[in-house]
Amino acid sequence: MPTSRTGVPGAIALSIVAGVSLGSGAALAQDFVIGNGVIAGQQTMSNAGDTGLVQANGAIETFGAGVDAVQMFNSGQRLTNYGLIARLGGGAANVHSQGPDATILNNGAILAIGDGSIGILSEGGDTQIVNNGTIEALGVATYGIISDAPAGHVDNHGFIGVSGTAAAGIIGDGPDLTVDNSGSIEAYGTAAGGILWQSNGLRLDNSGSIVVSGLASVGIGASGNDITITNSGTVDVFGTASTGISALFGNATITNSGSVIVEGLGGVGIAAQGGSSVITNSGHVFSDQSVAIYFGASGATLNLLGGTAIQGPIVFSGGGNTVSFGPGLNAVMSFSGSGPPQTILTGGRPFVTSGDSVAVVDITGFASSGPLIEDLVDGIAGVAEARMAAPDDGLPALRKGPDAWISTFGGIRSQGGSGASAGFSEALGGVVAGAERRSGDGFLGGLFLGGAAGSTEVDDDAQEIVHRGAFAGGYLGYDAGAHFAEAAFVAGVLQERSRRHVANNLVLGGIETARADFNGVFLSPSVTLGMRLPVTAGTLIPSVRLRYAGLFFDDYTETGSDGDLAVSRRDVNVFEARGQLGLALAPVSTPSQAWQTTLRAGVDAIAQNSDDVSATLLGQDISFPAGGRKFVLRGFAGADVAAEVSAGMTLNAGLEVGYGSDNAFTVWGVARLSKAF
């Protein structure tokens, strides 16, 4: 049961009734203003365009059955409440609007006590009702807001609370209504409802919270045709035979990216009773004792997107049904009623069926292996490759003789979804230490070793892969002044820890985790050719680099879910050509320090040729491309700074940003400290 709160119906009611004396008063006409500290009786607005205002600490109070507190009889009228509108006695409304084009704005409190009481009642078309305050109604068949005319608009940003049999927060039967709830609605009692509608063309958006408790209660219910309901907030319903979100007739569209939780025997999370209905889910739908999602007619469509967590049966009826699985979703879903839909769509992602179950694999984690090895090698080898491109500016790091150095690198990648793959983010960093020697005839050679760590996270929390690696390598270059050349090689081992989240509607919480630890090795040779051209601004440095990177994974088997994969060993091959134009600005010197800045930009052409993934899912062999063959163009720009920090010691730092045709944004940085001996 929901926890009680100050705004629960009755709490404010009792405090207000105890502190004020309700009076009927004589009805007043036309425009009105109820000032601070003034308590007035019934108010009537008769003429078109009349306005009414209740100021803060002002009040309108009435009592007696059938006595409205504020009556709005004509078109274009406007009521604004910052104070209190209170009514004691059933069968009437605190605010009753009968003309079209009315505007009702509540920033204060509206309190209705008595069976059949209504906080706000609108019977005129095109009326806009906005609640930023509090509306409470107590009694059998009481309602917070009723809109019974066409094309109305109800916005709740505050609190609506009702209590009593057949009570509802917002209700009506006007066609083509728009309801937006970003506030809180609470309803308590048998057959209570949060938001209920009985006409066609409802457009409802809930980004707030709806809490309903009682036998046969409903969070959001609509009985018209062509209904559109969008929930990005929370709908919590408690009680036997209760329903979270329900559409009774055909052509309903229900989208849930929030949370729908139903507790109670015979409770249903989301129900679409009519034909040709569509439910799209990327949120949570939980039913603890009955059905999570129910389709009551044929021709239904269920779209399951990344982020889906469903607890409870999914029931289809009749034929001609469809289920689709979007990117960023690993799933093992079981279907009841008429069984699995006749059409299963996965957008190219691999799936298998077994009995009443459908298992789907998101390929993004596999497809991220190419960018991973590309970025890892770029961070490692890039530390050494940058050494040859600098002009001979006389900084200590370029003097003849041995150097020892230590470097750190790090970067991030944010890559959008493409094709069958979802988007993912990657973060990598590492430490490299090395030694090198520059000879008097232009040769430079060095060795290095180090370690790296990072992680890849697939969108919608579909998968997380943690990377740990160790590596070693070397480089050899020749500098002829106007021209230079360099070759580099790096090899290492990679330890991977994968945690793949699998949506399963038959387990508590709707999510399982498939775990696997596995290893791989990688290697990468590269060669760089460039020249130096003196210009007025400094030294122009065009260069071309060719690189291959190969990553070779062992086979592995996941544990922990009904959708575990047994994956065969596979190879990932990446070929890259980089064309770069650098401009080394003239060195800047002071008596104690010297530094130089190099600006650079260029284009990478990247080709990937990777093995298909061979695996076993639900005891069935599957094979699918993940990365496969693809070609990417990426533009980049960066800057490097070399500075003498003390005698024989140089600090190098660089930053590069890039964006590619694969919708990937990258940022990489490096810092290196060298000591000349």
Side-chain angles (χ1 to χ4, degrees):
M1 294 293 292
T3 304
S4 62
R5 44 162 283 183
T6 304
V8 169
I12 294 179
L14 293 176
S15 64
I16 293 176
V17 170
V20 300
S21 174
L22 300 178
S24 59
L28 302 179
Q30 319 311 324
D31 295 346
F32 68 84
V33 175
I34 309 301
N36 185 358
V38 175
I39 299 177
Q42 184 186 64
Q43 302 293 306
T44 300
M45 301 162 66
S46 301
N47 299 326
D50 280 352
T51 62
L53 173 64
V54 182
Q55 295 180 346
N57 297 318
I60 298 174
E61 302 172 357
T62 64
F63 68 92
V67 179
D68 297 330
V70 178
Q71 296 177 321
M72 303 169 66
F73 287 142
N74 217 317
S75 62
Q77 296 180 332
R78 180 183 181 91
L79 172 67
T80 304
N81 174 45
Y82 292 97
L84 169 67
I85 301 176
R87 195 183 54 74
L88 180 61
N94 290 51
V95 179
H96 187 176
S97 173
Q98 300 178 42
D101 301 315
T103 300
I104 301 170
L105 175 61
N106 177 49
N107 292 317
I110 293 177
L111 172 63
I113 301 176
D115 295 346
S117 293
I118 304 165
I120 298 174
L121 170 61
S122 168
E123 297 179 297
D126 296 301
T127 292
Q128 181 170 1
I129 302 171
V130 180
N131 176 48
N132 297 314
T134 299
I135 300 175
E136 298 191 34
L138 311 178
V140 175
T142 55
Y143 310 106
I145 296 174
I146 294 181
S147 180
D148 274 350
H153 193 106
V154 178
D155 286 326
N156 176 49
H157 309 296
F159 173 74
I160 299 175
V162 296
S163 181
T165 300
I170 299 174
I171 192 171
D173 63 3
D176 302 319
L177 179 82
T178 301
V179 177
D180 289 314
N181 176 51
S182 60
S184 176
I185 298 174
E186 297 184 10
Y188 303 97
T190 300
I195 301 175
L196 303 177
W197 217 257
Q198 304 174 52
S199 191
N200 300 330
L202 172 67
R203 301 293 180 264
L204 190 153
D205 187 349
N206 175 53
S207 58
S209 68
I210 297 174
V211 178
V212 183
S213 180
L215 176 69
S217 56
V218 178
I220 298 173
S223 58
N225 289 296
D226 301 314
I227 300 297
T228 299
I229 299 172
T230 302
N231 176 54
S232 58
T234 61
V235 178
D236 297 324
V237 183
F238 308 86
T240 300
S242 58
T243 305
I245 299 176
S246 174
L248 293 181
F249 298 129
N251 298 315
T253 300
I254 301 173
T255 302
N256 175 54
S257 59
S259 172
V260 180
I261 298 176
V262 177
E263 296 184 14
L265 184 65
V268 179
I270 300 177
Q273 304 274 18
S276 302
S277 293
V278 178
I279 296 176
T280 300
N281 183 67
S282 59
H284 292 184
V285 183
F286 292 170
S287 175
D288 71 335
Q289 298 185 52
S290 188
V291 175
I293 294 177
Y294 177 80
F295 290 99
S298 60
T301 299
L302 175 62
N303 300 314
L304 299 176
L305 307 181
T308 285
I310 298 173
Q311 176 186 307
I314 300 172
V315 179
F316 279 92
S317 302
N321 300 313
T322 299
V323 62
S324 70
F325 296 84
L329 177 63
N330 301 287
V332 179
M333 290 295 178
S334 298
F335 301 93
S336 304
S338 59
Q342 290 71 33
T343 302
I344 300 172
L345 304 175
T346 65
R349 287 165 287 277
F351 76 96
V352 299
T353 60
S354 178
D356 290 334
S357 298
V358 178
V360 182
V361 177
D362 178 68
I363 69 171
T364 310
F366 298 98
S368 69
S369 299
L372 167 67
I373 188 59
E374 174 193 334
D375 294 339
L376 179 61
V377 168
D378 198 43
I380 298 169
V383 172
E385 292 168 347
R387 297 288 290 160
M388 288 302 299
D392 189 0
D393 51 28
L395 291 179
L398 296 180
R399 292 172 183 165
K400 302 176 182 64
D403 275 12
W405 54 267
I406 186 169
S407 177
T408 62
F409 66 88
I412 58 172
R413 170 186 288 262
S414 178
Q415 184 157 327
S418 177
S421 296
F424 66 91
S425 60
E426 171 199 284
L428 282 174
V431 177
V432 191
E436 65 186 26
R437 184 177 183 87
R438 186 182 298 271
S439 67
D441 53 3
F443 283 96
L444 171 69
L447 299 172
F448 59 85
L449 55 83
S455 65
T456 298
E457 296 184 359
V458 179
D459 288 356
D460 298 309
D461 200 26
Q463 186 174 5
E464 180 187 24
I465 307 172
V466 176
H467 318 290
R468 297 286 187 272
F471 52 83
Y475 53 97
L476 177 65
Y478 177 73
D479 189 345
H483 301 83
F484 62 89
E486 181 187 35
F489 180 82
V490 60
V493 296
L494 201 60
Q495 294 181 330
E496 301 282 89
R497 187 188 71 183
S498 170
R499 300 295 182 262
R500 196 168 56 91
H501 297 138
V502 181
N504 185 341
N505 63 309
L506 298 187
V507 302
L508 187 66
I511 296 291
E512 297 179 299
T513 301
R515 297 175 170 84
D517 297 329
F518 55 98
N519 299 320
V521 298
F522 64 92
L523 58 87
S524 175
S526 64
V527 60
T528 303
L529 301 174
M531 63 178 63
R532 301 186 182 94
L533 304 172
V535 294
T536 303
T539 303
L540 202 61
I541 310 173
S543 63
V544 175
R545 183 187 70 199
L546 301 177
R547 175 190 288 161
Y548 163 77
L551 176 58
F552 312 98
F553 283 123
D554 294 339
D555 55 7
Y556 63 90
T557 299
E558 294 178 326
T559 60
S561 82
D562 289 347
D564 289 339
L565 286 170
V567 181
S568 300
R569 61 180 304 156
R570 62 190 180 96
D571 301 340
V572 179
N573 302 288
V574 178
F575 303 87
E576 179 191 289
R578 165 170 285 205
Q580 176 177 284
L581 182 62
L583 175 62
L585 304 178
V588 178
S589 299
T590 67
S592 61
Q593 195 175 48
W595 68 89
Q596 183 177 40
T597 300
T598 300
L599 306 177
R600 53 190 176 84
V603 176
D604 291 327
I606 305 165
Q608 179 176 323
N609 184 5
S610 302
D611 292 346
D612 286 353
V613 178
S614 297
T616 302
L617 175 63
L618 296 187
Q620 303 177 45
D621 292 336
I622 58 174
S623 180
F624 55 92
R629 292 179 174 86
K630 70 176 184 179
F631 180 77
V632 175
L633 286 176
R634 178 177 62 199
F636 65 89
D640 303 306
V641 177
E644 180 185 357
V645 294
S646 65
M649 187 169 290
T650 302
L651 176 65
N652 298 78
L655 179 70
E656 178 181 297
V657 297
Y659 187 80
S661 59
D662 55 352
N663 197 23
F665 175 72
T666 56
V667 179
W668 285 92
V670 62
R672 168 175 165 154
L673 188 64
S674 305
K675 173 63 176 176
F677 296 97

